Amino acid sequence: MANQRIFITGGASGLGRSMALRFARAGWNVCIGDLNEARGAETLSALTALGVEAFFLRCDVTREEDLRAAATELGKRWGGVDVVVNNAGVAQAGAIEDVSIDDWKWIIDINLLGVVRGCRVFTPVFRRQGHGHFVNVASMAGLLDVPMMSSYNATKAAVVSLSETLHNELAEANIAVSVVCPSFFKTNLGDSLRTTDPRLSTTMARLLERSPITADDIADNVFQAVQQREFYVLPHEEGRKAWMMKRFLPRDIYAKVMRKRMSRMRPRTEPTPS
């Protein structure tokens, strides 16, 4: 539907940019929130070239005041917002004994509490309007058990749980919720990666590059989910199959299968010279 309004955190690049462009091509007005002003300007130029109303806001999802300022600005410009995409996120990899508590706090503050803040700030907006739709970007890592990424997995699992809760809690207020759980795909997530083992950066880059699914593909899935008010958005067939195995196979059988599949996540080691 034309002239609907969407706000996307982390909207200047990667999946956020792809979602912004997908909704703009359908005639939606788009606001992107991001910390990277240079990328924000580039994406804004691409959006306005599509003939829609669009603007950029500098937005740090670790600051609730930034999200409140965004809600205020959306109210002034557009009288509200129809869809809020809590997309901003970062990555962290490493063995449980190696990852510092500071890194745990860092990723929780962005990946989990950034989504919590977005939902806290915009739920009252949606209630006043009588409608709204949250799209929370999680990951298949939040449904499965990717090794060497415990902090990332935990934050994404929490986003899934939060989304499931709000799906029930907000339904009577005519507020829809979708949770997006992609597997690896070509994006710039590696730019934010913190790792205790440099080899994991190489492994991550290899897995991202090999994906047959692009950010544009996932953005199209998100657009369809919003149109149809779908809850789970699981773009990768392999991820969907793995999730079904986890749900229905005995735990020990599932664990053996996943350990074999996920062995590719472990960094490759060079043979020790004899």
Side-chain angles (χ1 to χ4, degrees):
M1 183 183 298
N3 300 319
Q4 287 198 286
R5 308 151 297 179
I6 187 170
F7 171 59
I8 305 170
T9 68
S13 61
L15 178 58
R17 174 187 168 96
S18 290
M19 288 188 287
L21 292 170
R22 177 64 182 88
F23 279 83
R25 285 194 293 271
W28 286 54
N29 295 333
V30 181
C31 173
I32 51 174
D34 207 288
L35 284 173
N36 193 315
E37 297 185 26
R39 286 179 174 174
E42 292 172 3
T43 300
L44 181 59
S45 177
L47 291 169
T48 54
L50 293 172
V52 299
E53 184 179 344
F55 66 101
F56 168 83
L57 291 175
R58 191 179 191 281
C59 182
D60 181 348
V61 297
T62 68
R63 293 167 44 90
E64 189 167 314
E65 56 266 40
D66 281 17
L67 289 158
R68 293 196 180 281
T72 299
E73 185 64 23
L74 288 162
K76 288 179 180 177
R77 293 203 186 202
W78 294 340
V81 63
D82 300 294
V83 175
V84 170
V85 183
N86 292 303
N87 167 69
V90 293
Q92 206 288 326
I96 184 64
E97 68 269 26
D98 296 332
V99 178
S100 70
I101 292 299
D102 283 343
D103 275 355
W104 272 89
K105 290 178 178 178
W106 169 74
I107 198 169
I108 288 170
D109 199 20
I110 298 169
N111 285 10
L112 172 57
L113 294 181
V115 177
V116 171
R117 293 181 188 103
C119 293
R120 271 178 46 83
V121 167
F122 283 96
T123 291
V125 175
F126 287 166
R127 287 189 187 277
R128 288 193 298 270
Q129 293 176 169
H131 74 278
H133 194 138
F134 286 116
V135 176
N136 296 331
V137 178
S139 168
M140 285 306 299
L143 297 174
L144 304 176
D145 318 304
V146 181
M148 307 295 287
M149 297 190 72
S150 55
S151 62
Y152 184 78
N153 298 351
T155 59
K156 294 303 187 178
V159 170
V160 173
S161 180
L162 171 67
S163 301
E164 290 172 340
T165 302
L166 296 182
H167 185 235
N168 297 324
E169 181 178 325
L170 302 178
E172 291 185 0
N174 195 31
I175 300 172
V177 179
S178 298
V179 63
V180 187
C181 298
S183 299
F184 294 104
F185 66 98
K186 297 173 185 176
T187 185
N188 61 339
L189 184 63
D191 293 352
S192 70
L193 177 67
R194 290 187 182 182
T195 178
T196 59
D197 186 337
R199 294 172 300 172
L200 288 170
S201 297
T202 303
T203 300
M204 177 78 77
R206 184 176 70 250
L207 293 173
L208 295 175
E209 185 62 29
R210 286 180 178 177
S211 173
I213 292 182
T214 68
D216 288 346
D217 295 328
I218 297 169
D220 192 58
N221 291 152
V222 171
F223 180 80
Q224 298 301 327
V226 168
Q227 298 298 101
Q228 298 168 22
R229 295 173 73 88
E230 295 176 353
F231 178 68
Y232 289 111
V233 184
L234 310 177
H236 289 75
E237 182 180 1
E238 183 179 356
R240 292 194 297 271
K241 289 179 179 177
W243 186 47
M244 293 296 286
M245 286 193 296
K246 181 178 181 180
R247 294 172 67 193
F248 297 112
L249 285 179
R251 178 67 192 182
D252 58 339
I253 295 176
Y254 162 76
K256 288 179 181 178
V257 173
M258 290 308 295
R259 284 170 192 162
K260 183 177 180 180
R261 287 191 175 191
M262 294 299 184
S263 62
R264 59 182 180 169
M265 272 297 298
R266 297 195 176 274
R268 295 175 177 175
T269 56
E270 298 296 329
T272 303
S274 56

